[in-house]
Amino acid sequence: MTNPEDLRQFGVDVYDRWTAMWNGDTALAERIMAPRFTLRYTQAGTEAFDDVTTPDRLAATIAAWHGTRAGLRFTAEGLAVVDLEPGAAAAPPSGAVARPYLASFTAEDGSTVARSGTDTLRIADGLITEVWSVSSGAAGRTFYR
């Protein structure tokens, strides 16, 4: 894969699968995450992810996360920034993909809570090896409306 449009589409597709995983398709963790990876979350309340380094543990943690937030939904927003290089021979690409997202869920009082953020995914040989996630956090706001 050397065509710039193919590389861009690959990056967008990885981000879309990342979002689908966060929306409850946790079986994707085994297909898109490296066997060992690093998560770097800056939001308050995300300490549960500090020690998550394997796909099965990530899937279980996401499932538990959904259990504490009714109607939790992630949506990719804005344009993806894709910086991927072709892999050697037939190997998948490596590099980084970043994209803004909107996370929303139903609060205990029935109101909708929505927060914006950006996830940056480091990809090696087609698998996510590191994630940086920054959001507006519990007292933050949405950027996209």
Side-chain angles (χ1 to χ4, degrees):
M1 179 181 315
T2 59
N3 178 318
E5 285 304 314
D6 290 344
L7 287 168
R8 177 169 178 68
Q9 190 59 54
F10 182 90
V12 169
D13 290 346
V14 168
Y15 195 94
D16 287 347
R17 288 190 301 274
W18 167 257
T19 302
M21 179 183 67
W22 275 94
N23 282 328
D25 189 355
T26 55
L28 284 168
E30 291 291 334
R31 296 197 302 263
I32 67 171
M33 304 302 296
R36 304 260 326 153
F37 52 82
T38 302
L39 302 177
R40 302 179 191 280
Y41 287 78
T42 64
Q43 304 85 293
T46 60
E47 292 79 10
F49 296 95
D50 289 351
D51 297 321
V52 174
T53 61
T54 62
D56 60 333
R57 182 105 182 263
L58 179 58
T61 305
I62 290 171
W65 196 257
H66 275 266
T68 63
R69 289 160 182 79
L72 181 59
R73 181 89 181 137
F74 293 85
T75 307
E77 295 193 318
L79 293 175
V81 176
V82 179
D83 183 17
L84 294 174
E85 295 292 327
S94 295
V97 177
R99 192 166 191 184
Y101 67 85
L102 178 69
S104 60
F105 62 94
T106 305
E108 289 181 15
D109 66 3
S111 64
T112 298
V113 177
R115 300 288 181 256
S116 289
T118 299
D119 284 345
T120 301
L121 314 176
R122 177 167 308 281
I123 299 168
D125 295 325
L127 297 173
I128 300 169
T129 60
E130 190 169 14
V131 176
W132 296 272
S133 184
V134 179
S135 83
S136 57
R141 66 181 188 94
T142 61
F143 179 73
Y144 294 96
R145 298 174 216 225

